[in-house]
């Protein structure tokens, strides 16, 4: 949740090779996740000729997206606990 000061934690970090990656994912997985995320937003009504193939892709793409999201979300939760501010 974004705090009123807009100081929300960032879910990305820069890895050893200088690539921006999602916490818990490799750079390749981050690229795959972002690619799937952008494709899942496509309108299935575009091009009726490709509708059947797109439905199959969407099912497989959604499953893989969910796998990557769950991996990232678990690592994100762990990161938040490890980096939570301590109260004296």
């Amino acid at each position: 949740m974004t705090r009123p000061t807009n100081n929300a934690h960032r879910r990305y970090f820069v890895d050893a090779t200088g690539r921006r990656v999602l916490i818990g994912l490799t750079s390749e997985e981050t690229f795959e996740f972002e690619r799937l995320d952008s494709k899942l937003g496509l309108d299935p009504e575009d091009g009726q000729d490709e509708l059947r193939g797109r439905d199959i892709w969407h099912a497989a793409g959604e499953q893989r997206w969910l796998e990557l999201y769950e991996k990232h979300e678990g690592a994100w939760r762990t990161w938040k606990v490890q980096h939570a501010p301590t109260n004296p």
Side-chain angles (χ1 to χ4, degrees):
M1 176 182 231
T2 303
R3 295 184 184 123
T5 59
N6 245 355
N7 289 333
H9 293 292
R10 301 180 79 151
R11 289 183 174 231
Y12 289 89
F13 71 98
V14 178
D15 70 5
T17 63
R19 294 183 183 149
R20 184 181 71 107
V21 297
L22 284 163
I23 291 173
L25 301 183
T26 65
S27 59
E28 292 81 10
E29 289 170 330
T30 297
F31 176 78
E32 182 182 8
F33 176 83
E34 290 174 338
R35 180 180 57 83
L36 290 169
D37 195 52
S38 68
K39 290 189 184 262
L40 290 175
L42 291 176
D43 181 5
E45 298 302 318
D46 291 344
Q48 292 296 321
D49 296 342
E50 300 175 12
L51 187 57
R52 183 178 305 242
R54 186 174 289 165
D55 285 344
I56 294 168
W57 185 90
H58 270 281
E62 286 175 9
Q63 180 60 39
R64 180 61 178 152
W65 180 93
L66 187 57
E67 291 169 4
L68 293 169
Y69 178 80
E70 288 174 347
K71 182 178 179 183
H72 162 66
E73 186 65 21
W76 171 243
R77 287 183 183 150
T78 300
W79 186 92
K80 287 193 312 184
V81 168
Q82 292 172 345
H83 294 85
T86 56
N87 292 327

